[in-house]
Amino acid sequence: MKTLVKGLNANAKNVHNRTALHYAVAGKNKEAVQLLLQRRVKVDQKDKYGVAPIHLAAWFGSLEILKLLVQAGAEHKVENEEGLNIMHCAAINNHTEIVEYIINDLQMKELDKDDQSGHRAFALAAKHGCVEMLEMLMEPYKMATVKPNKRGDTPLHLAASNGHLDAIQLLLQSFDTRDEVNMDGETALYQAADNGQEECVLALLEAGCDPDILTMAKCSALHPVSERGDTSIVQILLEYKAFTDFQNQHLAAPLHLAVKNSHIPVIHSLLDAGCNINVTDKRSRTAMHLAAELARIEVVEMLLKAGLDLTLQDRQGKTALGTAARADEVIIVDMIIKAERYYAWKTANPELNESVHSEYPLTFKLDHRFGTRQLRSMAWRLAYKLLKPGDWKRLAEHWGFTKDQVSAIEEQWTGQHSYQEHGNRMLLIWLHGEELAQKSPAKELYQGLILTGNTKAADKIRTEAVTASKKSCSIS
């Protein structure tokens, strides 16, 4: 090592303007540092980021090397590009012995100053979760401060956004700091939620932080976690009575964001908490409009079961049904029509509401059950083999389908024989309602065909029903 130093330029720089002294200090190589200092290297040489060797000694907690640099005349107050001095570097990395040396031996308490972002040593210690440093700066040095940085973030913000639970608890116990907002209107609780820091969110709520303070973008803490699908934090916020229906600057509520991203557990939690399922965004869209347009079948099912208002229109005058039809989402169209017809029947028959789902759980999805296969086969044969163009519409009108429902079914055009698919879909929707109402579909279908002038089809259906019944009896 000594031979190498003698033959080389000890102050040579690499592409980052770093000298051998930088690397010796960063590597905590005391012997190399001593040899270089004997060669009278420049102790205050900065790299391209403004970092001097004394910064590195403080950063890596090398007290003995720091003392060697000081003895060699290194500038104590030197700052890097970010305005960090040796006290900042030590605070970031929890090197309490370095800070003790700076204050007690160097008598340079004045190094406790703002960096370029407005952070003092205490704030940087909070940002990096350095609890021992925080405690020491509070007692005995009286250097604690909850002063915000240039963005308005307090030490509590910095600890919360970075998930430092111990630091948060210390700050909450030591200072009356809770709901301060930064320049974006964000509280420490909001930042903890936004960054997915579940334990920190819970600690802040337990300390009395308000979950309903809105940011400048009019977001509550529920907005980012609902959009991200962070069910655990959503549930914690709801347990602490966070308001579910704040609308951000785009008038999107947490439910809109959860639906848009298909976060089913979050949607379930929001619905259970009693959120307004009919809240509309800046384009007057409900969550159902979004789900219909995006073809989220599971989400549509959840929303339909929650009993939302399907008559609401967006700015283009489209209901959720119209939105699904425009998007050519056939399955969604049929699900919505089933729901519309079910809720209309439920309103007209309130006395039957208690027992209606005892045998058949409520669902608006396609029916693939073995027990309904025969009825579904009958509907298919009727639509594809027996009904003529226009017949299905007369049946639909007889059974109380609205014009909008018929139009939505008819919107999907697949060719000259589209009426067959339209008729089959209409019949399956009708069968869904008949089953929920616990009626006899075969009898109702026969009567409907007779009343709409389809006597031939009615006789054919009755014959098939009788034949099927006889087969069933002979098998049994």
Short mmCIF file of all heavy atoms in Angstrom, two decimals, residues 197-249:
data_model
loop_
_atom_site.label_atom_id
_atom_site.label_comp_id
_atom_site.label_asym_id
_atom_site.label_seq_id
_atom_site.Cartn_x
_atom_site.Cartn_y
_atom_site.Cartn_z
N GLN A 197 -48.85 2.03 4.29
CA GLN A 197 -48.23 1.75 5.59
C GLN A 197 -49.32 1.43 6.61
O GLN A 197 -49.77 2.28 7.38
CB GLN A 197 -47.39 2.95 6.04
CG GLN A 197 -46.37 3.41 5.02
CD GLN A 197 -45.29 2.37 4.75
OE1 GLN A 197 -45.19 1.37 5.44
NE2 GLN A 197 -44.47 2.62 3.74
N GLU A 198 -49.76 0.17 6.61
CA GLU A 198 -50.93 -0.23 7.40
C GLU A 198 -50.76 0.00 8.89
O GLU A 198 -51.66 0.57 9.55
CB GLU A 198 -51.23 -1.71 7.14
CG GLU A 198 -52.46 -2.22 7.87
CD GLU A 198 -52.76 -3.67 7.55
OE1 GLU A 198 -52.34 -4.15 6.47
OE2 GLU A 198 -53.40 -4.34 8.38
N GLU A 199 -49.65 -0.42 9.48
CA GLU A 199 -49.44 -0.26 10.92
C GLU A 199 -49.40 1.21 11.30
O GLU A 199 -49.90 1.60 12.36
CB GLU A 199 -48.15 -0.95 11.34
CG GLU A 199 -48.22 -2.47 11.28
CD GLU A 199 -46.95 -3.11 11.81
OE1 GLU A 199 -45.89 -2.45 11.77
OE2 GLU A 199 -47.02 -4.25 12.28
N CYS A 200 -48.81 2.01 10.44
CA CYS A 200 -48.73 3.45 10.71
C CYS A 200 -50.11 4.09 10.66
O CYS A 200 -50.44 4.96 11.47
CB CYS A 200 -47.79 4.13 9.72
SG CYS A 200 -46.09 3.52 9.81
N VAL A 201 -50.92 3.67 9.70
CA VAL A 201 -52.30 4.17 9.60
C VAL A 201 -53.06 3.89 10.88
O VAL A 201 -53.72 4.76 11.45
CB VAL A 201 -53.03 3.54 8.39
CG1 VAL A 201 -54.53 3.83 8.44
CG2 VAL A 201 -52.45 4.05 7.09
N LEU A 202 -52.94 2.66 11.36
CA LEU A 202 -53.65 2.27 12.58
C LEU A 202 -53.16 3.08 13.77
O LEU A 202 -53.97 3.56 14.58
CB LEU A 202 -53.46 0.78 12.84
CG LEU A 202 -54.18 0.21 14.07
CD1 LEU A 202 -55.68 0.48 13.99
CD2 LEU A 202 -53.91 -1.28 14.20
N ALA A 203 -51.84 3.27 13.90
CA ALA A 203 -51.28 4.04 15.02
C ALA A 203 -51.77 5.48 14.99
O ALA A 203 -52.11 6.06 16.04
CB ALA A 203 -49.77 3.99 14.97
N LEU A 204 -51.82 6.07 13.82
CA LEU A 204 -52.26 7.47 13.69
C LEU A 204 -53.75 7.60 14.01
O LEU A 204 -54.17 8.57 14.66
CB LEU A 204 -51.96 7.97 12.28
CG LEU A 204 -50.47 8.16 11.97
CD1 LEU A 204 -50.23 8.26 10.47
CD2 LEU A 204 -49.93 9.41 12.66
N LEU A 205 -54.54 6.64 13.57
CA LEU A 205 -55.97 6.67 13.89
C LEU A 205 -56.20 6.49 15.39
O LEU A 205 -57.04 7.17 15.99
CB LEU A 205 -56.71 5.59 13.10
CG LEU A 205 -56.87 5.84 11.60
CD1 LEU A 205 -57.33 4.58 10.88
CD2 LEU A 205 -57.85 6.99 11.35
N GLU A 206 -55.45 5.58 15.99
CA GLU A 206 -55.58 5.36 17.43
C GLU A 206 -55.18 6.60 18.22
O GLU A 206 -55.69 6.84 19.33
CB GLU A 206 -54.71 4.17 17.85
CG GLU A 206 -55.27 2.83 17.41
CD GLU A 206 -54.34 1.68 17.76
OE1 GLU A 206 -53.15 1.94 18.06
OE2 GLU A 206 -54.80 0.51 17.74
N ALA A 207 -54.31 7.41 17.65
CA ALA A 207 -53.87 8.63 18.31
C ALA A 207 -54.82 9.80 18.07
O ALA A 207 -54.57 10.91 18.54
CB ALA A 207 -52.47 9.01 17.84
N GLY A 208 -55.90 9.54 17.32
CA GLY A 208 -56.91 10.57 17.12
C GLY A 208 -56.79 11.36 15.84
O GLY A 208 -57.45 12.39 15.68
N CYS A 209 -55.98 10.91 14.89
CA CYS A 209 -55.87 11.61 13.62
C CYS A 209 -57.18 11.48 12.84
O CYS A 209 -57.84 10.46 12.88
CB CYS A 209 -54.70 11.07 12.80
SG CYS A 209 -53.08 11.44 13.51
N ASP A 210 -57.51 12.53 12.11
CA ASP A 210 -58.79 12.62 11.40
C ASP A 210 -58.67 12.01 10.00
O ASP A 210 -57.89 12.50 9.18
CB ASP A 210 -59.20 14.09 11.29
CG ASP A 210 -60.60 14.28 10.73
OD1 ASP A 210 -61.17 13.31 10.20
OD2 ASP A 210 -61.10 15.42 10.80
N PRO A 211 -59.43 10.96 9.68
CA PRO A 211 -59.34 10.35 8.35
C PRO A 211 -60.08 11.12 7.25
O PRO A 211 -59.98 10.76 6.08
CB PRO A 211 -59.98 8.98 8.56
CG PRO A 211 -60.99 9.21 9.64
CD PRO A 211 -60.37 10.24 10.56
N ASP A 212 -60.80 12.16 7.65
CA ASP A 212 -61.68 12.84 6.69
C ASP A 212 -61.17 14.20 6.24
O ASP A 212 -61.93 15.00 5.68
CB ASP A 212 -63.08 12.99 7.29
CG ASP A 212 -63.80 11.66 7.41
OD1 ASP A 212 -63.44 10.73 6.67
OD2 ASP A 212 -64.71 11.55 8.26
N ILE A 213 -59.90 14.50 6.48
CA ILE A 213 -59.33 15.76 6.00
C ILE A 213 -58.99 15.60 4.52
O ILE A 213 -58.30 14.66 4.12
CB ILE A 213 -58.08 16.14 6.81
CG1 ILE A 213 -58.48 16.43 8.26
CG2 ILE A 213 -57.38 17.35 6.20
CD1 ILE A 213 -57.31 16.68 9.18
N LEU A 214 -59.48 16.50 3.70
CA LEU A 214 -59.32 16.38 2.26
C LEU A 214 -58.07 17.10 1.77
O LEU A 214 -57.70 18.16 2.28
CB LEU A 214 -60.54 16.95 1.53
CG LEU A 214 -61.89 16.30 1.87
CD1 LEU A 214 -62.99 16.92 1.00
CD2 LEU A 214 -61.85 14.80 1.66
N THR A 215 -57.44 16.52 0.76
CA THR A 215 -56.26 17.14 0.16
C THR A 215 -56.70 18.26 -0.79
O THR A 215 -57.89 18.49 -1.00
CB THR A 215 -55.46 16.10 -0.65
OG1 THR A 215 -56.26 15.70 -1.78
CG2 THR A 215 -55.15 14.88 0.20
N MET A 216 -55.73 18.92 -1.40
CA MET A 216 -56.04 19.97 -2.37
C MET A 216 -56.79 19.39 -3.57
O MET A 216 -57.54 20.09 -4.24
CB MET A 216 -54.76 20.66 -2.83
CG MET A 216 -54.01 21.38 -1.71
SD MET A 216 -54.97 22.72 -0.97
CE MET A 216 -54.92 23.92 -2.30
N ALA A 217 -56.56 18.12 -3.84
CA ALA A 217 -57.27 17.43 -4.93
C ALA A 217 -58.59 16.84 -4.45
O ALA A 217 -59.23 16.06 -5.17
CB ALA A 217 -56.40 16.34 -5.53
N LYS A 218 -59.00 17.22 -3.23
CA LYS A 218 -60.25 16.79 -2.62
C LYS A 218 -60.33 15.27 -2.40
O LYS A 218 -61.41 14.68 -2.44
CB LYS A 218 -61.45 17.27 -3.45
CG LYS A 218 -61.58 18.78 -3.51
CD LYS A 218 -62.85 19.23 -4.21
CE LYS A 218 -62.98 20.75 -4.20
NZ LYS A 218 -64.21 21.20 -4.88
N CYS A 219 -59.18 14.67 -2.15
CA CYS A 219 -59.14 13.24 -1.84
C CYS A 219 -59.07 13.03 -0.34
O CYS A 219 -58.36 13.74 0.36
CB CYS A 219 -57.90 12.60 -2.48
SG CYS A 219 -57.95 12.52 -4.27
N SER A 220 -59.80 12.05 0.14
CA SER A 220 -59.64 11.60 1.52
C SER A 220 -58.69 10.42 1.52
O SER A 220 -58.30 9.92 0.46
CB SER A 220 -60.99 11.18 2.11
OG SER A 220 -61.41 9.95 1.54
N ALA A 221 -58.33 9.95 2.69
CA ALA A 221 -57.42 8.80 2.78
C ALA A 221 -58.00 7.56 2.11
O ALA A 221 -57.26 6.67 1.67
CB ALA A 221 -57.09 8.51 4.25
N LEU A 222 -59.33 7.50 2.00
CA LEU A 222 -59.96 6.33 1.36
C LEU A 222 -59.74 6.29 -0.15
O LEU A 222 -59.79 5.21 -0.75
CB LEU A 222 -61.47 6.34 1.64
CG LEU A 222 -61.99 5.55 2.84
CD1 LEU A 222 -63.49 5.72 2.98
CD2 LEU A 222 -61.63 4.07 2.72
N HIS A 223 -59.50 7.43 -0.76
CA HIS A 223 -59.35 7.44 -2.22
C HIS A 223 -58.15 6.63 -2.71
O HIS A 223 -58.33 5.72 -3.53
CB HIS A 223 -59.26 8.89 -2.73
CG HIS A 223 -60.58 9.57 -2.86
ND1 HIS A 223 -61.18 10.27 -1.84
CD2 HIS A 223 -61.44 9.64 -3.91
CE1 HIS A 223 -62.34 10.76 -2.25
NE2 HIS A 223 -62.53 10.39 -3.50
N PRO A 224 -56.94 6.92 -2.26
CA PRO A 224 -55.80 6.16 -2.81
C PRO A 224 -55.85 4.67 -2.48
O PRO A 224 -55.47 3.84 -3.31
CB PRO A 224 -54.58 6.85 -2.20
CG PRO A 224 -55.08 7.54 -0.96
CD PRO A 224 -56.47 7.95 -1.31
N VAL A 225 -56.32 4.32 -1.28
CA VAL A 225 -56.33 2.90 -0.92
C VAL A 225 -57.44 2.15 -1.67
O VAL A 225 -57.29 0.97 -1.99
CB VAL A 225 -56.46 2.70 0.61
CG1 VAL A 225 -55.20 3.16 1.29
CG2 VAL A 225 -57.66 3.43 1.19
N SER A 226 -58.54 2.82 -1.96
CA SER A 226 -59.61 2.19 -2.75
C SER A 226 -59.15 2.00 -4.19
O SER A 226 -59.42 0.96 -4.80
CB SER A 226 -60.88 3.05 -2.71
OG SER A 226 -61.39 3.16 -1.41
N GLU A 227 -58.45 2.97 -4.71
CA GLU A 227 -57.95 2.87 -6.09
C GLU A 227 -56.90 1.78 -6.21
O GLU A 227 -56.86 1.06 -7.21
CB GLU A 227 -57.36 4.21 -6.52
CG GLU A 227 -56.92 4.25 -7.97
CD GLU A 227 -56.56 5.64 -8.44
OE1 GLU A 227 -56.21 6.49 -7.59
OE2 GLU A 227 -56.62 5.89 -9.67
N ARG A 228 -56.08 1.64 -5.18
CA ARG A 228 -55.00 0.65 -5.20
C ARG A 228 -55.50 -0.75 -4.82
O ARG A 228 -54.86 -1.76 -5.10
CB ARG A 228 -53.91 1.09 -4.23
CG ARG A 228 -52.60 0.32 -4.35
CD ARG A 228 -51.51 0.93 -3.50
NE ARG A 228 -51.82 0.90 -2.08
CZ ARG A 228 -52.01 1.97 -1.32
NH1 ARG A 228 -51.94 3.17 -1.85
NH2 ARG A 228 -52.28 1.86 -0.04
N GLY A 229 -56.64 -0.83 -4.17
CA GLY A 229 -57.18 -2.12 -3.75
C GLY A 229 -56.61 -2.62 -2.45
O GLY A 229 -56.52 -3.82 -2.22
N ASP A 230 -56.24 -1.69 -1.58
CA ASP A 230 -55.65 -2.05 -0.28
C ASP A 230 -56.77 -2.30 0.72
O ASP A 230 -57.13 -1.43 1.51
CB ASP A 230 -54.71 -0.94 0.19
CG ASP A 230 -53.74 -1.41 1.26
OD1 ASP A 230 -54.12 -2.31 2.03
OD2 ASP A 230 -52.62 -0.88 1.32
N THR A 231 -57.30 -3.51 0.70
CA THR A 231 -58.48 -3.84 1.49
C THR A 231 -58.25 -3.66 2.98
O THR A 231 -59.14 -3.18 3.70
CB THR A 231 -58.92 -5.28 1.22
OG1 THR A 231 -59.01 -5.49 -0.19
CG2 THR A 231 -60.26 -5.58 1.85
N SER A 232 -57.09 -4.04 3.47
CA SER A 232 -56.81 -3.96 4.91
C SER A 232 -56.90 -2.53 5.40
O SER A 232 -57.54 -2.26 6.43
CB SER A 232 -55.41 -4.52 5.21
OG SER A 232 -55.35 -5.89 4.91
N ILE A 233 -56.28 -1.60 4.68
CA ILE A 233 -56.32 -0.20 5.11
C ILE A 233 -57.71 0.38 4.93
O ILE A 233 -58.18 1.17 5.76
CB ILE A 233 -55.26 0.64 4.37
CG1 ILE A 233 -53.86 0.12 4.72
CG2 ILE A 233 -55.38 2.12 4.73
CD1 ILE A 233 -52.72 0.91 4.08
N VAL A 234 -58.40 -0.02 3.87
CA VAL A 234 -59.79 0.43 3.69
C VAL A 234 -60.63 0.03 4.90
O VAL A 234 -61.38 0.85 5.46
CB VAL A 234 -60.40 -0.19 2.41
CG1 VAL A 234 -61.91 0.02 2.38
CG2 VAL A 234 -59.78 0.44 1.17
N GLN A 235 -60.49 -1.21 5.32
CA GLN A 235 -61.28 -1.69 6.46
C GLN A 235 -60.91 -0.96 7.75
O GLN A 235 -61.79 -0.64 8.56
CB GLN A 235 -61.09 -3.19 6.61
CG GLN A 235 -61.75 -3.99 5.49
CD GLN A 235 -61.46 -5.47 5.55
OE1 GLN A 235 -60.51 -5.90 6.20
NE2 GLN A 235 -62.28 -6.27 4.88
N ILE A 236 -59.63 -0.68 7.94
CA ILE A 236 -59.20 0.06 9.13
C ILE A 236 -59.81 1.45 9.13
O ILE A 236 -60.35 1.92 10.15
CB ILE A 236 -57.66 0.15 9.19
CG1 ILE A 236 -57.06 -1.23 9.48
CG2 ILE A 236 -57.21 1.15 10.26
CD1 ILE A 236 -55.56 -1.29 9.34
N LEU A 237 -59.74 2.14 8.00
CA LEU A 237 -60.31 3.49 7.91
C LEU A 237 -61.82 3.46 8.17
O LEU A 237 -62.35 4.35 8.86
CB LEU A 237 -60.02 4.09 6.54
CG LEU A 237 -58.56 4.47 6.27
CD1 LEU A 237 -58.33 4.76 4.79
CD2 LEU A 237 -58.17 5.69 7.10
N LEU A 238 -62.49 2.46 7.63
CA LEU A 238 -63.94 2.35 7.84
C LEU A 238 -64.28 2.04 9.29
O LEU A 238 -65.28 2.54 9.82
CB LEU A 238 -64.52 1.28 6.91
CG LEU A 238 -64.46 1.60 5.41
CD1 LEU A 238 -64.95 0.42 4.59
CD2 LEU A 238 -65.27 2.85 5.08
N GLU A 239 -63.44 1.24 9.95
CA GLU A 239 -63.65 0.97 11.38
C GLU A 239 -63.56 2.24 12.20
O GLU A 239 -64.22 2.37 13.24
CB GLU A 239 -62.62 -0.05 11.87
CG GLU A 239 -62.90 -1.47 11.41
CD GLU A 239 -61.75 -2.41 11.73
OE1 GLU A 239 -60.84 -2.00 12.49
OE2 GLU A 239 -61.74 -3.55 11.21
N TYR A 240 -62.75 3.18 11.74
CA TYR A 240 -62.62 4.46 12.44
C TYR A 240 -63.53 5.53 11.84
O TYR A 240 -63.27 6.72 11.94
CB TYR A 240 -61.15 4.91 12.43
CG TYR A 240 -60.34 4.20 13.51
CD1 TYR A 240 -59.83 2.93 13.29
CD2 TYR A 240 -60.13 4.79 14.74
CE1 TYR A 240 -59.12 2.26 14.28
CE2 TYR A 240 -59.42 4.14 15.74
CZ TYR A 240 -58.91 2.87 15.50
OH TYR A 240 -58.21 2.22 16.49
N LYS A 241 -64.59 5.05 11.18
CA LYS A 241 -65.70 5.90 10.72
C LYS A 241 -65.29 6.90 9.66
O LYS A 241 -65.83 8.02 9.60
CB LYS A 241 -66.36 6.64 11.91
CG LYS A 241 -66.76 5.73 13.07
CD LYS A 241 -67.70 4.64 12.62
CE LYS A 241 -68.09 3.73 13.80
NZ LYS A 241 -68.92 2.58 13.35
N ALA A 242 -64.36 6.54 8.81
CA ALA A 242 -64.03 7.41 7.67
C ALA A 242 -65.26 7.54 6.78
O ALA A 242 -65.97 6.56 6.51
CB ALA A 242 -62.87 6.83 6.88
N PHE A 243 -65.54 8.76 6.32
CA PHE A 243 -66.70 9.01 5.46
C PHE A 243 -66.44 8.38 4.09
O PHE A 243 -65.38 8.57 3.49
CB PHE A 243 -66.93 10.51 5.33
CG PHE A 243 -68.14 10.86 4.51
CD1 PHE A 243 -69.40 10.45 4.91
CD2 PHE A 243 -68.02 11.62 3.36
CE1 PHE A 243 -70.53 10.77 4.16
CE2 PHE A 243 -69.13 11.95 2.60
CZ PHE A 243 -70.39 11.53 3.01
N THR A 244 -67.41 7.63 3.60
CA THR A 244 -67.21 6.84 2.39
C THR A 244 -67.40 7.61 1.09
O THR A 244 -66.94 7.16 0.04
CB THR A 244 -68.18 5.65 2.37
OG1 THR A 244 -69.53 6.14 2.46
CG2 THR A 244 -67.90 4.70 3.50
N ASP A 245 -68.07 8.75 1.13
CA ASP A 245 -68.58 9.33 -0.12
C ASP A 245 -67.97 10.66 -0.52
O ASP A 245 -68.55 11.39 -1.34
CB ASP A 245 -70.10 9.47 -0.03
CG ASP A 245 -70.79 8.13 0.17
OD1 ASP A 245 -70.31 7.14 -0.40
OD2 ASP A 245 -71.80 8.07 0.90
N PHE A 246 -66.81 11.02 0.04
CA PHE A 246 -66.14 12.23 -0.45
C PHE A 246 -65.83 12.05 -1.93
O PHE A 246 -65.42 10.97 -2.38
CB PHE A 246 -64.84 12.50 0.31
CG PHE A 246 -65.06 13.11 1.67
CD1 PHE A 246 -64.57 12.47 2.80
CD2 PHE A 246 -65.73 14.31 1.82
CE1 PHE A 246 -64.76 13.01 4.06
CE2 PHE A 246 -65.92 14.86 3.08
CZ PHE A 246 -65.43 14.21 4.20
N GLN A 247 -65.99 13.13 -2.69
CA GLN A 247 -65.70 13.09 -4.12
C GLN A 247 -64.50 13.98 -4.42
O GLN A 247 -64.45 15.13 -3.98
CB GLN A 247 -66.92 13.55 -4.93
CG GLN A 247 -68.10 12.59 -4.81
CD GLN A 247 -69.36 13.13 -5.46
OE1 GLN A 247 -70.21 13.71 -4.79
NE2 GLN A 247 -69.46 12.94 -6.77
N ASN A 248 -63.55 13.44 -5.17
CA ASN A 248 -62.33 14.20 -5.46
C ASN A 248 -62.58 15.27 -6.51
O ASN A 248 -63.74 15.53 -6.87
CB ASN A 248 -61.19 13.25 -5.86
CG ASN A 248 -61.48 12.52 -7.17
OD1 ASN A 248 -62.36 12.90 -7.94
ND2 ASN A 248 -60.74 11.46 -7.41
N GLN A 249 -61.52 15.86 -7.02
CA GLN A 249 -61.69 16.98 -7.95
C GLN A 249 -62.38 16.55 -9.26
O GLN A 249 -62.89 17.39 -10.00
CB GLN A 249 -60.33 17.60 -8.26
CG GLN A 249 -59.32 16.64 -8.88
CD GLN A 249 -57.95 17.25 -9.01
OE1 GLN A 249 -57.77 18.45 -8.77
NE2 GLN A 249 -56.97 16.46 -9.38
#
